[in-house]
Amino acid sequence: MEDYQDTFHESYRRIDIDQEFLGFFLEDFCASNPRFAERFSEVDKAKQSKMLKASIILIFNSADNPFIRNNVAMLGQNHKKLGLNIEQHELDEWTESLLRTVGKFDPYFDENVEQAWRKTLERGLNIMSDECVVD
């Protein structure tokens, strides 16, 4: 296992992706773009939390698992089928909101931890971009 993966997993163990984490993430994410708030306004908060947690876990697990990469591709395709019209900057905003949230909840968050998260998320985010981002 590469060093950044160890750093990522240590950080992941320090945070708890619970309601507080997900609530902060969703608030930050929606604040970064009014379209996000509109998209999530009709979705039940408990359902939002489950969807977000599942998405986060899928995306970071895709780094090591081809089966999960297929699931991420299906997630991206579903976003496209739903007509969400996701633009690349919006996917980037999702990533930055997630990293800000990790930074708030991981007491040892620093540049090294941030880079470990970025590298771990990279493959899954690239798949999402390929599958759901509109031109």
Side-chain angles (χ1 to χ4, degrees), residues 1 4-5 8-9 12 17 53-72 94 98 116-117 119-125 127:
M1 188 180 286
Y4 78 86
Q5 290 174 318
F8 167 80
H9 287 291
Y12 182 76
I17 299 184
K53 186 172 185 174
S55 298
I56 293 166
I57 291 170
L58 266 178
I59 288 172
F60 77 66
N61 278 316
S62 67
D64 297 321
N65 189 316
F67 175 75
I68 292 176
R69 287 194 285 274
N70 289 334
N71 289 336
V72 172
W94 183 94
L98 178 60
W117 274 83
K119 287 179 184 177
T120 301
L121 297 171
E122 181 177 35
R123 179 175 251 164
L125 291 170
I127 294 167

PDB file of all heavy atoms in Angstrom, residues 1 4-5 8-9 12 17 53-72 94 98 116-117 119-125 127:
ATOM      1  N   MET A   1       0.847  -1.185   0.000  1.00  0.00           N
ATOM      2  CA  MET A   1       0.000   0.000   0.000  1.00  0.00           C
ATOM      3  C   MET A   1       0.888   1.242   0.000  1.00  0.00           C
ATOM      4  O   MET A   1       1.838   1.331   0.757  1.00  0.00           O
ATOM      5  CB  MET A   1      -0.904  -0.026   1.236  1.00  0.00           C
ATOM      6  CG  MET A   1      -1.945   1.060   1.214  1.00  0.00           C
ATOM      7  SD  MET A   1      -3.016   1.060   2.652  1.00  0.00           S
ATOM      8  CE  MET A   1      -4.029  -0.352   2.316  1.00  0.00           C
ATOM      9  N   TYR A   4       0.451   7.407   0.641  1.00  0.00           N
ATOM     10  CA  TYR A   4      -0.720   8.286   0.665  1.00  0.00           C
ATOM     11  C   TYR A   4      -1.968   7.510   1.052  1.00  0.00           C
ATOM     12  O   TYR A   4      -2.873   8.058   1.687  1.00  0.00           O
ATOM     13  CB  TYR A   4      -0.906   9.046  -0.650  1.00  0.00           C
ATOM     14  CG  TYR A   4      -1.509   8.253  -1.788  1.00  0.00           C
ATOM     15  CD1 TYR A   4      -2.891   8.140  -1.916  1.00  0.00           C
ATOM     16  CD2 TYR A   4      -0.708   7.634  -2.736  1.00  0.00           C
ATOM     17  CE1 TYR A   4      -3.456   7.429  -2.956  1.00  0.00           C
ATOM     18  CE2 TYR A   4      -1.272   6.928  -3.780  1.00  0.00           C
ATOM     19  CZ  TYR A   4      -2.638   6.820  -3.886  1.00  0.00           C
ATOM     20  OH  TYR A   4      -3.198   6.116  -4.904  1.00  0.00           O
ATOM     21  N   GLN A   5      -2.033   6.221   0.707  1.00  0.00           N
ATOM     22  CA  GLN A   5      -3.190   5.415   1.082  1.00  0.00           C
ATOM     23  C   GLN A   5      -3.242   5.220   2.601  1.00  0.00           C
ATOM     24  O   GLN A   5      -4.307   5.273   3.195  1.00  0.00           O
ATOM     25  CB  GLN A   5      -3.180   4.077   0.358  1.00  0.00           C
ATOM     26  CG  GLN A   5      -3.450   4.248  -1.133  1.00  0.00           C
ATOM     27  CD  GLN A   5      -3.292   2.951  -1.898  1.00  0.00           C
ATOM     28  OE1 GLN A   5      -2.365   2.186  -1.654  1.00  0.00           O
ATOM     29  NE2 GLN A   5      -4.195   2.717  -2.834  1.00  0.00           N
ATOM     30  N   PHE A   8      -4.447   8.480   3.989  1.00  0.00           N
ATOM     31  CA  PHE A   8      -5.885   8.600   3.773  1.00  0.00           C
ATOM     32  C   PHE A   8      -6.649   7.770   4.793  1.00  0.00           C
ATOM     33  O   PHE A   8      -7.582   8.257   5.433  1.00  0.00           O
ATOM     34  CB  PHE A   8      -6.268   8.164   2.351  1.00  0.00           C
ATOM     35  CG  PHE A   8      -7.744   7.970   2.200  1.00  0.00           C
ATOM     36  CD1 PHE A   8      -8.585   9.054   2.009  1.00  0.00           C
ATOM     37  CD2 PHE A   8      -8.315   6.705   2.310  1.00  0.00           C
ATOM     38  CE1 PHE A   8      -9.954   8.885   1.910  1.00  0.00           C
ATOM     39  CE2 PHE A   8      -9.683   6.538   2.212  1.00  0.00           C
ATOM     40  CZ  PHE A   8     -10.501   7.633   2.010  1.00  0.00           C
ATOM     41  N   HIS A   9      -6.285   6.503   4.945  1.00  0.00           N
ATOM     42  CA  HIS A   9      -7.022   5.617   5.842  1.00  0.00           C
ATOM     43  C   HIS A   9      -6.920   6.061   7.301  1.00  0.00           C
ATOM     44  O   HIS A   9      -7.895   5.949   8.053  1.00  0.00           O
ATOM     45  CB  HIS A   9      -6.572   4.168   5.668  1.00  0.00           C
ATOM     46  CG  HIS A   9      -7.068   3.562   4.388  1.00  0.00           C
ATOM     47  ND1 HIS A   9      -8.403   3.274   4.163  1.00  0.00           N
ATOM     48  CD2 HIS A   9      -6.427   3.230   3.255  1.00  0.00           C
ATOM     49  CE1 HIS A   9      -8.555   2.783   2.948  1.00  0.00           C
ATOM     50  NE2 HIS A   9      -7.368   2.747   2.369  1.00  0.00           N
ATOM     51  N   TYR A  12      -9.347   8.929   7.498  1.00  0.00           N
ATOM     52  CA  TYR A  12     -10.716   8.419   7.438  1.00  0.00           C
ATOM     53  C   TYR A  12     -11.135   7.828   8.784  1.00  0.00           C
ATOM     54  O   TYR A  12     -12.267   8.016   9.227  1.00  0.00           O
ATOM     55  CB  TYR A  12     -10.842   7.378   6.323  1.00  0.00           C
ATOM     56  CG  TYR A  12     -12.245   6.861   6.181  1.00  0.00           C
ATOM     57  CD1 TYR A  12     -13.233   7.631   5.571  1.00  0.00           C
ATOM     58  CD2 TYR A  12     -12.590   5.604   6.674  1.00  0.00           C
ATOM     59  CE1 TYR A  12     -14.527   7.167   5.454  1.00  0.00           C
ATOM     60  CE2 TYR A  12     -13.887   5.134   6.563  1.00  0.00           C
ATOM     61  CZ  TYR A  12     -14.855   5.912   5.952  1.00  0.00           C
ATOM     62  OH  TYR A  12     -16.136   5.460   5.848  1.00  0.00           O
ATOM     63  N   ILE A  17     -18.032   9.723   9.524  1.00  0.00           N
ATOM     64  CA  ILE A  17     -18.989  10.201   8.528  1.00  0.00           C
ATOM     65  C   ILE A  17     -20.387   9.925   9.077  1.00  0.00           C
ATOM     66  O   ILE A  17     -21.048   8.971   8.708  1.00  0.00           O
ATOM     67  CB  ILE A  17     -18.737   9.571   7.141  1.00  0.00           C
ATOM     68  CG1 ILE A  17     -17.349   9.934   6.653  1.00  0.00           C
ATOM     69  CG2 ILE A  17     -19.789  10.050   6.143  1.00  0.00           C
ATOM     70  CD1 ILE A  17     -17.019   9.457   5.265  1.00  0.00           C
ATOM     71  N   LYS A  53     -23.248   9.700   1.889  1.00  0.00           N
ATOM     72  CA  LYS A  53     -22.300   8.765   2.505  1.00  0.00           C
ATOM     73  C   LYS A  53     -21.947   7.649   1.528  1.00  0.00           C
ATOM     74  O   LYS A  53     -20.776   7.317   1.351  1.00  0.00           O
ATOM     75  CB  LYS A  53     -22.876   8.202   3.795  1.00  0.00           C
ATOM     76  CG  LYS A  53     -21.883   7.346   4.552  1.00  0.00           C
ATOM     77  CD  LYS A  53     -22.403   6.958   5.923  1.00  0.00           C
ATOM     78  CE  LYS A  53     -21.337   6.209   6.696  1.00  0.00           C
ATOM     79  NZ  LYS A  53     -21.763   5.953   8.080  1.00  0.00           N
ATOM     80  N   ALA A  54     -22.948   7.087   0.870  1.00  0.00           N
ATOM     81  CA  ALA A  54     -22.698   6.022  -0.099  1.00  0.00           C
ATOM     82  C   ALA A  54     -21.825   6.525  -1.247  1.00  0.00           C
ATOM     83  O   ALA A  54     -20.896   5.829  -1.681  1.00  0.00           O
ATOM     84  CB  ALA A  54     -24.022   5.477  -0.630  1.00  0.00           C
ATOM     85  N   SER A  55     -22.087   7.729  -1.727  1.00  0.00           N
ATOM     86  CA  SER A  55     -21.293   8.299  -2.825  1.00  0.00           C
ATOM     87  C   SER A  55     -19.842   8.495  -2.417  1.00  0.00           C
ATOM     88  O   SER A  55     -18.923   8.154  -3.168  1.00  0.00           O
ATOM     89  CB  SER A  55     -21.871   9.634  -3.273  1.00  0.00           C
ATOM     90  OG  SER A  55     -23.163   9.470  -3.773  1.00  0.00           O
ATOM     91  N   ILE A  56     -19.639   9.050  -1.241  1.00  0.00           N
ATOM     92  CA  ILE A  56     -18.276   9.286  -0.746  1.00  0.00           C
ATOM     93  C   ILE A  56     -17.528   7.961  -0.643  1.00  0.00           C
ATOM     94  O   ILE A  56     -16.398   7.829  -1.127  1.00  0.00           O
ATOM     95  CB  ILE A  56     -18.303  10.015   0.611  1.00  0.00           C
ATOM     96  CG1 ILE A  56     -18.836  11.440   0.444  1.00  0.00           C
ATOM     97  CG2 ILE A  56     -16.905  10.034   1.250  1.00  0.00           C
ATOM     98  CD1 ILE A  56     -19.225  12.115   1.756  1.00  0.00           C
ATOM     99  N   ILE A  57     -18.161   6.973  -0.041  1.00  0.00           N
ATOM    100  CA  ILE A  57     -17.514   5.671   0.154  1.00  0.00           C
ATOM    101  C   ILE A  57     -17.232   4.999  -1.192  1.00  0.00           C
ATOM    102  O   ILE A  57     -16.150   4.460  -1.411  1.00  0.00           O
ATOM    103  CB  ILE A  57     -18.361   4.787   1.089  1.00  0.00           C
ATOM    104  CG1 ILE A  57     -18.319   5.377   2.506  1.00  0.00           C
ATOM    105  CG2 ILE A  57     -17.877   3.346   1.082  1.00  0.00           C
ATOM    106  CD1 ILE A  57     -19.294   4.759   3.483  1.00  0.00           C
ATOM    107  N   LEU A  58     -18.186   5.052  -2.111  1.00  0.00           N
ATOM    108  CA  LEU A  58     -17.974   4.472  -3.441  1.00  0.00           C
ATOM    109  C   LEU A  58     -16.783   5.122  -4.137  1.00  0.00           C
ATOM    110  O   LEU A  58     -15.919   4.430  -4.691  1.00  0.00           O
ATOM    111  CB  LEU A  58     -19.212   4.672  -4.318  1.00  0.00           C
ATOM    112  CG  LEU A  58     -20.248   3.589  -4.380  1.00  0.00           C
ATOM    113  CD1 LEU A  58     -21.408   4.023  -5.258  1.00  0.00           C
ATOM    114  CD2 LEU A  58     -19.683   2.277  -4.851  1.00  0.00           C
ATOM    115  N   ILE A  59     -16.748   6.434  -4.103  1.00  0.00           N
ATOM    116  CA  ILE A  59     -15.706   7.138  -4.838  1.00  0.00           C
ATOM    117  C   ILE A  59     -14.326   6.841  -4.270  1.00  0.00           C
ATOM    118  O   ILE A  59     -13.392   6.557  -5.014  1.00  0.00           O
ATOM    119  CB  ILE A  59     -16.012   8.646  -4.912  1.00  0.00           C
ATOM    120  CG1 ILE A  59     -17.184   8.852  -5.878  1.00  0.00           C
ATOM    121  CG2 ILE A  59     -14.794   9.441  -5.364  1.00  0.00           C
ATOM    122  CD1 ILE A  59     -17.737  10.236  -5.926  1.00  0.00           C
ATOM    123  N   PHE A  60     -14.170   6.828  -2.950  1.00  0.00           N
ATOM    124  CA  PHE A  60     -12.818   6.559  -2.458  1.00  0.00           C
ATOM    125  C   PHE A  60     -12.455   5.086  -2.560  1.00  0.00           C
ATOM    126  O   PHE A  60     -11.289   4.750  -2.738  1.00  0.00           O
ATOM    127  CB  PHE A  60     -12.536   7.169  -1.082  1.00  0.00           C
ATOM    128  CG  PHE A  60     -13.103   6.488   0.124  1.00  0.00           C
ATOM    129  CD1 PHE A  60     -12.688   5.229   0.516  1.00  0.00           C
ATOM    130  CD2 PHE A  60     -14.031   7.149   0.902  1.00  0.00           C
ATOM    131  CE1 PHE A  60     -13.191   4.631   1.654  1.00  0.00           C
ATOM    132  CE2 PHE A  60     -14.538   6.571   2.039  1.00  0.00           C
ATOM    133  CZ  PHE A  60     -14.121   5.292   2.412  1.00  0.00           C
ATOM    134  N   ASN A  61     -13.426   4.181  -2.509  1.00  0.00           N
ATOM    135  CA  ASN A  61     -13.101   2.760  -2.653  1.00  0.00           C
ATOM    136  C   ASN A  61     -12.795   2.373  -4.100  1.00  0.00           C
ATOM    137  O   ASN A  61     -12.216   1.319  -4.348  1.00  0.00           O
ATOM    138  CB  ASN A  61     -14.225   1.885  -2.097  1.00  0.00           C
ATOM    139  CG  ASN A  61     -14.145   1.742  -0.609  1.00  0.00           C
ATOM    140  OD1 ASN A  61     -13.076   1.534  -0.050  1.00  0.00           O
ATOM    141  ND2 ASN A  61     -15.276   1.862   0.054  1.00  0.00           N
ATOM    142  N   SER A  62     -13.165   3.218  -5.036  1.00  0.00           N
ATOM    143  CA  SER A  62     -12.896   2.902  -6.441  1.00  0.00           C
ATOM    144  C   SER A  62     -11.412   2.931  -6.764  1.00  0.00           C
ATOM    145  O   SER A  62     -10.986   2.390  -7.780  1.00  0.00           O
ATOM    146  CB  SER A  62     -13.653   3.867  -7.357  1.00  0.00           C
ATOM    147  OG  SER A  62     -13.145   5.172  -7.235  1.00  0.00           O
ATOM    148  N   ALA A  63     -10.615   3.507  -5.893  1.00  0.00           N
ATOM    149  CA  ALA A  63      -9.175   3.563  -6.127  1.00  0.00           C
ATOM    150  C   ALA A  63      -8.577   2.167  -6.238  1.00  0.00           C
ATOM    151  O   ALA A  63      -7.650   1.946  -7.011  1.00  0.00           O
ATOM    152  CB  ALA A  63      -8.479   4.340  -5.000  1.00  0.00           C
ATOM    153  N   ASP A  64      -9.121   1.210  -5.499  1.00  0.00           N
ATOM    154  CA  ASP A  64      -8.519  -0.121  -5.434  1.00  0.00           C
ATOM    155  C   ASP A  64      -9.377  -1.249  -5.978  1.00  0.00           C
ATOM    156  O   ASP A  64      -8.919  -2.381  -6.032  1.00  0.00           O
ATOM    157  CB  ASP A  64      -8.194  -0.466  -3.961  1.00  0.00           C
ATOM    158  CG  ASP A  64      -7.175   0.469  -3.355  1.00  0.00           C
ATOM    159  OD1 ASP A  64      -6.227   0.837  -4.064  1.00  0.00           O
ATOM    160  OD2 ASP A  64      -7.341   0.826  -2.179  1.00  0.00           O
ATOM    161  N   ASN A  65     -10.609  -0.984  -6.362  1.00  0.00           N
ATOM    162  CA  ASN A  65     -11.522  -2.074  -6.655  1.00  0.00           C
ATOM    163  C   ASN A  65     -12.242  -1.868  -7.990  1.00  0.00           C
ATOM    164  O   ASN A  65     -13.090  -0.984  -8.093  1.00  0.00           O
ATOM    165  CB  ASN A  65     -12.529  -2.180  -5.504  1.00  0.00           C
ATOM    166  CG  ASN A  65     -13.392  -3.403  -5.588  1.00  0.00           C
ATOM    167  OD1 ASN A  65     -13.899  -3.757  -6.638  1.00  0.00           O
ATOM    168  ND2 ASN A  65     -13.584  -4.049  -4.442  1.00  0.00           N
ATOM    169  N   PRO A  66     -11.926  -2.714  -8.993  1.00  0.00           N
ATOM    170  CA  PRO A  66     -12.570  -2.568 -10.307  1.00  0.00           C
ATOM    171  C   PRO A  66     -14.093  -2.727 -10.251  1.00  0.00           C
ATOM    172  O   PRO A  66     -14.816  -2.045 -10.977  1.00  0.00           O
ATOM    173  CB  PRO A  66     -11.959  -3.690 -11.149  1.00  0.00           C
ATOM    174  CG  PRO A  66     -10.701  -4.057 -10.447  1.00  0.00           C
ATOM    175  CD  PRO A  66     -10.909  -3.762  -9.000  1.00  0.00           C
ATOM    176  N   PHE A  67     -14.609  -3.592  -9.396  1.00  0.00           N
ATOM    177  CA  PHE A  67     -16.052  -3.771  -9.263  1.00  0.00           C
ATOM    178  C   PHE A  67     -16.701  -2.465  -8.799  1.00  0.00           C
ATOM    179  O   PHE A  67     -17.736  -2.052  -9.321  1.00  0.00           O
ATOM    180  CB  PHE A  67     -16.366  -4.901  -8.276  1.00  0.00           C
ATOM    181  CG  PHE A  67     -17.836  -5.062  -8.011  1.00  0.00           C
ATOM    182  CD1 PHE A  67     -18.669  -5.644  -8.962  1.00  0.00           C
ATOM    183  CD2 PHE A  67     -18.389  -4.621  -6.821  1.00  0.00           C
ATOM    184  CE1 PHE A  67     -20.026  -5.782  -8.725  1.00  0.00           C
ATOM    185  CE2 PHE A  67     -19.748  -4.763  -6.579  1.00  0.00           C
ATOM    186  CZ  PHE A  67     -20.565  -5.340  -7.529  1.00  0.00           C
ATOM    187  N   ILE A  68     -16.070  -1.825  -7.840  1.00  0.00           N
ATOM    188  CA  ILE A  68     -16.609  -0.566  -7.340  1.00  0.00           C
ATOM    189  C   ILE A  68     -16.502   0.527  -8.395  1.00  0.00           C
ATOM    190  O   ILE A  68     -17.383   1.382  -8.504  1.00  0.00           O
ATOM    191  CB  ILE A  68     -15.945  -0.172  -6.008  1.00  0.00           C
ATOM    192  CG1 ILE A  68     -16.374  -1.176  -4.927  1.00  0.00           C
ATOM    193  CG2 ILE A  68     -16.307   1.253  -5.594  1.00  0.00           C
ATOM    194  CD1 ILE A  68     -15.753  -0.997  -3.588  1.00  0.00           C
ATOM    195  N   ARG A  69     -15.455   0.482  -9.212  1.00  0.00           N
ATOM    196  CA  ARG A  69     -15.352   1.455 -10.307  1.00  0.00           C
ATOM    197  C   ARG A  69     -16.555   1.338 -11.238  1.00  0.00           C
ATOM    198  O   ARG A  69     -17.076   2.340 -11.723  1.00  0.00           O
ATOM    199  CB  ARG A  69     -14.033   1.278 -11.059  1.00  0.00           C
ATOM    200  CG  ARG A  69     -12.840   1.776 -10.263  1.00  0.00           C
ATOM    201  CD  ARG A  69     -11.602   1.913 -11.109  1.00  0.00           C
ATOM    202  NE  ARG A  69     -10.967   0.663 -11.441  1.00  0.00           N
ATOM    203  CZ  ARG A  69     -10.079   0.024 -10.681  1.00  0.00           C
ATOM    204  NH1 ARG A  69      -9.745   0.512  -9.501  1.00  0.00           N
ATOM    205  NH2 ARG A  69      -9.531  -1.093 -11.079  1.00  0.00           N
ATOM    206  N   ASN A  70     -17.022   0.112 -11.480  1.00  0.00           N
ATOM    207  CA  ASN A  70     -18.236  -0.074 -12.289  1.00  0.00           C
ATOM    208  C   ASN A  70     -19.446   0.563 -11.609  1.00  0.00           C
ATOM    209  O   ASN A  70     -20.300   1.164 -12.272  1.00  0.00           O
ATOM    210  CB  ASN A  70     -18.506  -1.557 -12.535  1.00  0.00           C
ATOM    211  CG  ASN A  70     -17.514  -2.176 -13.492  1.00  0.00           C
ATOM    212  OD1 ASN A  70     -16.932  -1.494 -14.324  1.00  0.00           O
ATOM    213  ND2 ASN A  70     -17.307  -3.467 -13.362  1.00  0.00           N
ATOM    214  N   ASN A  71     -19.524   0.443 -10.292  1.00  0.00           N
ATOM    215  CA  ASN A  71     -20.626   1.068  -9.551  1.00  0.00           C
ATOM    216  C   ASN A  71     -20.559   2.592  -9.633  1.00  0.00           C
ATOM    217  O   ASN A  71     -21.589   3.255  -9.725  1.00  0.00           O
ATOM    218  CB  ASN A  71     -20.627   0.614  -8.090  1.00  0.00           C
ATOM    219  CG  ASN A  71     -21.058  -0.824  -7.937  1.00  0.00           C
ATOM    220  OD1 ASN A  71     -21.758  -1.375  -8.781  1.00  0.00           O
ATOM    221  ND2 ASN A  71     -20.624  -1.455  -6.863  1.00  0.00           N
ATOM    222  N   VAL A  72     -19.348   3.132  -9.586  1.00  0.00           N
ATOM    223  CA  VAL A  72     -19.185   4.584  -9.718  1.00  0.00           C
ATOM    224  C   VAL A  72     -19.622   5.024 -11.111  1.00  0.00           C
ATOM    225  O   VAL A  72     -20.294   6.035 -11.267  1.00  0.00           O
ATOM    226  CB  VAL A  72     -17.737   5.026  -9.414  1.00  0.00           C
ATOM    227  CG1 VAL A  72     -17.527   6.497  -9.731  1.00  0.00           C
ATOM    228  CG2 VAL A  72     -17.390   4.743  -7.952  1.00  0.00           C
ATOM    229  N   TRP A  94     -17.906  19.870  -5.429  1.00  0.00           N
ATOM    230  CA  TRP A  94     -18.230  18.736  -4.543  1.00  0.00           C
ATOM    231  C   TRP A  94     -16.957  18.286  -3.830  1.00  0.00           C
ATOM    232  O   TRP A  94     -16.952  18.092  -2.615  1.00  0.00           O
ATOM    233  CB  TRP A  94     -18.822  17.600  -5.378  1.00  0.00           C
ATOM    234  CG  TRP A  94     -19.270  16.394  -4.605  1.00  0.00           C
ATOM    235  CD1 TRP A  94     -20.525  16.153  -4.142  1.00  0.00           C
ATOM    236  CD2 TRP A  94     -18.479  15.260  -4.221  1.00  0.00           C
ATOM    237  NE1 TRP A  94     -20.562  14.946  -3.485  1.00  0.00           N
ATOM    238  CE2 TRP A  94     -19.318  14.378  -3.523  1.00  0.00           C
ATOM    239  CE3 TRP A  94     -17.146  14.910  -4.394  1.00  0.00           C
ATOM    240  CZ2 TRP A  94     -18.881  13.164  -3.000  1.00  0.00           C
ATOM    241  CZ3 TRP A  94     -16.695  13.704  -3.873  1.00  0.00           C
ATOM    242  CH2 TRP A  94     -17.552  12.844  -3.178  1.00  0.00           C
ATOM    243  N   LEU A  98     -16.089  18.549   0.149  1.00  0.00           N
ATOM    244  CA  LEU A  98     -15.727  17.356   0.919  1.00  0.00           C
ATOM    245  C   LEU A  98     -14.411  17.580   1.662  1.00  0.00           C
ATOM    246  O   LEU A  98     -14.302  17.268   2.853  1.00  0.00           O
ATOM    247  CB  LEU A  98     -15.632  16.135   0.009  1.00  0.00           C
ATOM    248  CG  LEU A  98     -15.203  14.833   0.704  1.00  0.00           C
ATOM    249  CD1 LEU A  98     -16.183  14.450   1.812  1.00  0.00           C
ATOM    250  CD2 LEU A  98     -15.062  13.714  -0.312  1.00  0.00           C
ATOM    251  N   ALA A 116      -3.471  13.224   0.233  1.00  0.00           N
ATOM    252  CA  ALA A 116      -3.829  11.804   0.305  1.00  0.00           C
ATOM    253  C   ALA A 116      -5.297  11.604  -0.075  1.00  0.00           C
ATOM    254  O   ALA A 116      -5.633  10.673  -0.817  1.00  0.00           O
ATOM    255  CB  ALA A 116      -3.555  11.270   1.706  1.00  0.00           C
ATOM    256  N   TRP A 117      -6.162  12.475   0.420  1.00  0.00           N
ATOM    257  CA  TRP A 117      -7.574  12.401   0.039  1.00  0.00           C
ATOM    258  C   TRP A 117      -7.731  12.648  -1.457  1.00  0.00           C
ATOM    259  O   TRP A 117      -8.452  11.927  -2.145  1.00  0.00           O
ATOM    260  CB  TRP A 117      -8.398  13.420   0.838  1.00  0.00           C
ATOM    261  CG  TRP A 117      -8.846  12.892   2.168  1.00  0.00           C
ATOM    262  CD1 TRP A 117      -8.124  12.861   3.322  1.00  0.00           C
ATOM    263  CD2 TRP A 117     -10.106  12.307   2.474  1.00  0.00           C
ATOM    264  NE1 TRP A 117      -8.865  12.305   4.329  1.00  0.00           N
ATOM    265  CE2 TRP A 117     -10.096  11.965   3.834  1.00  0.00           C
ATOM    266  CE3 TRP A 117     -11.261  12.070   1.735  1.00  0.00           C
ATOM    267  CZ2 TRP A 117     -11.189  11.367   4.470  1.00  0.00           C
ATOM    268  CZ3 TRP A 117     -12.352  11.487   2.366  1.00  0.00           C
ATOM    269  CH2 TRP A 117     -12.310  11.133   3.714  1.00  0.00           C
ATOM    270  N   LYS A 119      -5.602  12.198  -3.919  1.00  0.00           N
ATOM    271  CA  LYS A 119      -5.104  11.063  -4.711  1.00  0.00           C
ATOM    272  C   LYS A 119      -6.038   9.871  -4.616  1.00  0.00           C
ATOM    273  O   LYS A 119      -6.265   9.171  -5.605  1.00  0.00           O
ATOM    274  CB  LYS A 119      -3.703  10.680  -4.245  1.00  0.00           C
ATOM    275  CG  LYS A 119      -2.644  11.669  -4.673  1.00  0.00           C
ATOM    276  CD  LYS A 119      -1.279  11.251  -4.167  1.00  0.00           C
ATOM    277  CE  LYS A 119      -0.238  12.291  -4.512  1.00  0.00           C
ATOM    278  NZ  LYS A 119       1.086  11.942  -3.970  1.00  0.00           N
ATOM    279  N   THR A 120      -6.585   9.639  -3.432  1.00  0.00           N
ATOM    280  CA  THR A 120      -7.488   8.506  -3.241  1.00  0.00           C
ATOM    281  C   THR A 120      -8.795   8.703  -4.002  1.00  0.00           C
ATOM    282  O   THR A 120      -9.332   7.762  -4.582  1.00  0.00           O
ATOM    283  CB  THR A 120      -7.764   8.286  -1.742  1.00  0.00           C
ATOM    284  OG1 THR A 120      -6.508   8.053  -1.078  1.00  0.00           O
ATOM    285  CG2 THR A 120      -8.678   7.104  -1.503  1.00  0.00           C
ATOM    286  N   LEU A 121      -9.297   9.921  -4.028  1.00  0.00           N
ATOM    287  CA  LEU A 121     -10.563  10.218  -4.704  1.00  0.00           C
ATOM    288  C   LEU A 121     -10.421  10.353  -6.221  1.00  0.00           C
ATOM    289  O   LEU A 121     -11.403  10.261  -6.949  1.00  0.00           O
ATOM    290  CB  LEU A 121     -11.150  11.521  -4.153  1.00  0.00           C
ATOM    291  CG  LEU A 121     -11.542  11.536  -2.681  1.00  0.00           C
ATOM    292  CD1 LEU A 121     -11.894  12.952  -2.252  1.00  0.00           C
ATOM    293  CD2 LEU A 121     -12.700  10.589  -2.418  1.00  0.00           C
ATOM    294  N   GLU A 122      -9.202  10.563  -6.675  1.00  0.00           N
ATOM    295  CA  GLU A 122      -8.957  10.919  -8.084  1.00  0.00           C
ATOM    296  C   GLU A 122      -9.582   9.952  -9.077  1.00  0.00           C
ATOM    297  O   GLU A 122     -10.271  10.375 -10.016  1.00  0.00           O
ATOM    298  CB  GLU A 122      -7.455  11.039  -8.325  1.00  0.00           C
ATOM    299  CG  GLU A 122      -7.097  11.436  -9.732  1.00  0.00           C
ATOM    300  CD  GLU A 122      -5.596  11.602  -9.899  1.00  0.00           C
ATOM    301  OE1 GLU A 122      -4.810  10.850  -9.277  1.00  0.00           O
ATOM    302  OE2 GLU A 122      -5.215  12.495 -10.662  1.00  0.00           O
ATOM    303  N   ARG A 123      -9.365   8.664  -8.916  1.00  0.00           N
ATOM    304  CA  ARG A 123      -9.867   7.702  -9.905  1.00  0.00           C
ATOM    305  C   ARG A 123     -11.398   7.737  -9.965  1.00  0.00           C
ATOM    306  O   ARG A 123     -11.992   7.795 -11.036  1.00  0.00           O
ATOM    307  CB  ARG A 123      -9.373   6.298  -9.590  1.00  0.00           C
ATOM    308  CG  ARG A 123      -9.892   5.272 -10.590  1.00  0.00           C
ATOM    309  CD  ARG A 123      -9.302   3.923 -10.342  1.00  0.00           C
ATOM    310  NE  ARG A 123      -8.367   3.677 -11.435  1.00  0.00           N
ATOM    311  CZ  ARG A 123      -7.443   2.754 -11.431  1.00  0.00           C
ATOM    312  NH1 ARG A 123      -7.270   2.015 -10.376  1.00  0.00           N
ATOM    313  NH2 ARG A 123      -6.668   2.577 -12.467  1.00  0.00           N
ATOM    314  N   GLY A 124     -12.042   7.710  -8.816  1.00  0.00           N
ATOM    315  CA  GLY A 124     -13.503   7.739  -8.788  1.00  0.00           C
ATOM    316  C   GLY A 124     -14.070   9.031  -9.353  1.00  0.00           C
ATOM    317  O   GLY A 124     -15.068   9.016 -10.073  1.00  0.00           O
ATOM    318  N   LEU A 125     -13.417  10.145  -9.041  1.00  0.00           N
ATOM    319  CA  LEU A 125     -13.882  11.431  -9.567  1.00  0.00           C
ATOM    320  C   LEU A 125     -13.700  11.512 -11.076  1.00  0.00           C
ATOM    321  O   LEU A 125     -14.541  12.088 -11.777  1.00  0.00           O
ATOM    322  CB  LEU A 125     -13.161  12.581  -8.869  1.00  0.00           C
ATOM    323  CG  LEU A 125     -13.541  12.767  -7.402  1.00  0.00           C
ATOM    324  CD1 LEU A 125     -12.611  13.772  -6.734  1.00  0.00           C
ATOM    325  CD2 LEU A 125     -14.998  13.187  -7.259  1.00  0.00           C
ATOM    326  N   ILE A 127     -13.908   8.956 -13.082  1.00  0.00           N
ATOM    327  CA  ILE A 127     -14.991   8.138 -13.629  1.00  0.00           C
ATOM    328  C   ILE A 127     -16.294   8.934 -13.629  1.00  0.00           C
ATOM    329  O   ILE A 127     -17.022   8.956 -14.624  1.00  0.00           O
ATOM    330  CB  ILE A 127     -15.150   6.820 -12.839  1.00  0.00           C
ATOM    331  CG1 ILE A 127     -13.907   5.948 -13.029  1.00  0.00           C
ATOM    332  CG2 ILE A 127     -16.421   6.081 -13.259  1.00  0.00           C
ATOM    333  CD1 ILE A 127     -13.824   4.772 -12.062  1.00  0.00           C
TER     334      ILE A 127
END
